[in-house]
Amino acid sequence: YGFQAQPMGFPAGYVPPVQNQPGMGGTIWMPIPPSIPNCPPGLEYLTQIDQILVHQQLELLEIVTGFETSNKYEIKNSLGQRVYFAAEDTDCLTRNCCGSSRPFTLRIIDNLGREVITLQRPLRCVSCCCPCCLQELEVQSPPGTTVGYVVQKWHPCLPKFTIQDEKRTDVLKISGPCIMCRCCEDVNFEVQSLDETCAVGRISKKWTGLVQEMFTDADNFGISFPMDLDVKMKAVMIGACFLIVSLSF
């Protein structure tokens, strides 16, 4: 997964934010790591963590009216520090007419305000009866440079996906449970090696409590992966989490 790191700099007059200081709402950002050779700019954060929490922000308009708004997410490390912020880029008509099958672009930014990861999901059929047009998500880092894909694999009852590199070579497999809704329990998607003999990581939908589960569609997800996994594949696993969110929850 060789990649020539792009030169990093700040525009004239730009002042980087002070690290480890509470932001709006008391948010504390993860300290900026030093740049690493052959690592896409902004993915240096992922070299230092093996767990991520994805927290969907509650939207008051959506809770009160049921009107589908643009989703926003906080991506945090195990210490509760914000690593990235993600925002869905779709129009109102697409969100409310296409629902969970809608195409989207999800932009993930770091604490310098740089868009470091872009997720693009095209419009595809969500029916398991159409194996010729299954779901797919492209992961770019930096924007415009593809680092991998998440591709749905046909199965009559189980959600299955394959993680691919930028050359569309299969790298990892993801398999989920047949029943997505489990009261008071987490829902786990196992990340495995291609021969399915070795567990590599996990994507989990976290139980958030009865009230939030019943009256909102805001979710918490956890992602775990080996510390030494290639940062590009970590970024693709983040993309897999968002594809699973949009399809299953």
Side-chain angles (χ1 to χ4, degrees):
Y1 308 114
F3 180 84
Q4 182 63 41
Q6 297 183 357
M8 296 172 59
F10 305 118
Y14 179 83
V15 179
V18 178
Q19 297 303 307
N20 296 323
Q21 296 297 320
M24 294 184 63
T27 300
I28 299 177
W29 285 87
M30 181 178 174
I32 303 174
S35 59
I36 299 175
N38 300 320
C39 178
L43 297 193
E44 300 91 349
Y45 299 89
L46 300 181
T47 64
Q48 302 180 358
I49 55 180
D50 59 1
Q51 293 182 2
I52 286 178
L53 174 66
V54 179
H55 173 65
Q56 183 178 352
Q57 293 189 337
L58 295 173
E59 298 289 343
L60 182 60
L61 176 64
E62 190 169 339
I63 295 173
V64 175
T65 66
F67 185 83
E68 186 71 24
T69 59
S70 179
N71 291 327
K72 300 178 180 63
Y73 306 86
E74 286 184 295
I75 302 175
K76 298 182 179 181
N77 61 18
S78 58
L79 300 177
Q81 298 170 326
R82 183 187 287 180
V83 183
Y84 301 118
F85 181 82
E88 178 186 0
D89 184 3
T90 54
D91 59 77
C92 177
L93 183 63
T94 299
R95 289 194 303 271
N96 289 277
C97 291
C98 297
S100 62
S101 63
R102 65 180 181 263
F104 63 74
T105 297
L106 196 77
R107 307 186 188 280
I108 301 177
I109 64 173
D110 65 2
N111 60 359
L112 293 177
R114 301 177 301 178
E115 183 178 343
V116 296
I117 303 174
T118 302
L119 310 178
Q120 292 188 340
R121 175 192 175 189
L123 180 63
R124 296 287 178 87
C125 179
V126 295
S127 173
C128 65
C129 298
C130 298
C132 60
C133 193
L134 297 175
Q135 297 296 316
E136 181 176 298
L137 183 137
E138 180 182 353
V139 182
Q140 301 176 358
S141 181
T145 301
T146 301
V147 295
Y149 300 87
V150 184
V151 180
Q152 184 183 20
K153 296 300 181 182
W154 186 86
H155 192 278
C157 58
L158 295 177
K160 287 184 173 290
F161 305 88
T162 298
I163 289 179
Q164 301 177 338
D165 63 14
E166 69 275 13
K167 297 179 181 179
R168 289 193 175 273
T169 302
D170 293 351
V171 179
L172 297 169
K173 290 185 177 181
I174 301 175
S175 180
C178 180
I179 300 176
M180 294 294 178
C181 181
R182 296 182 181 180
C183 183
C184 303
E185 291 184 2
D186 294 345
V187 180
N188 297 318
F189 292 75
E190 302 297 335
V191 182
Q192 301 173 315
S193 57
L194 290 179
D195 58 8
E196 300 185 9
T197 60
C198 179
V200 177
R202 175 178 291 176
I203 299 173
S204 300
K205 195 270 184 184
K206 301 297 184 180
W207 171 257
T208 55
L210 183 62
V211 173
Q212 184 165 326
E213 294 284 345
M214 289 181 61
F215 296 103
T216 76
D217 61 357
D219 293 313
N220 289 329
F221 277 78
I223 309 173
S224 61
F225 36 63
M227 184 74 76
D228 59 353
L229 182 67
D230 185 272
V231 291
K232 295 180 182 179
M233 293 302 100
K234 290 183 179 182
V236 179
M237 281 188 63
I238 294 175
C241 178
F242 282 109
L243 181 59
I244 290 171
V245 170
S246 62
L247 285 175
S248 305
F249 302 98

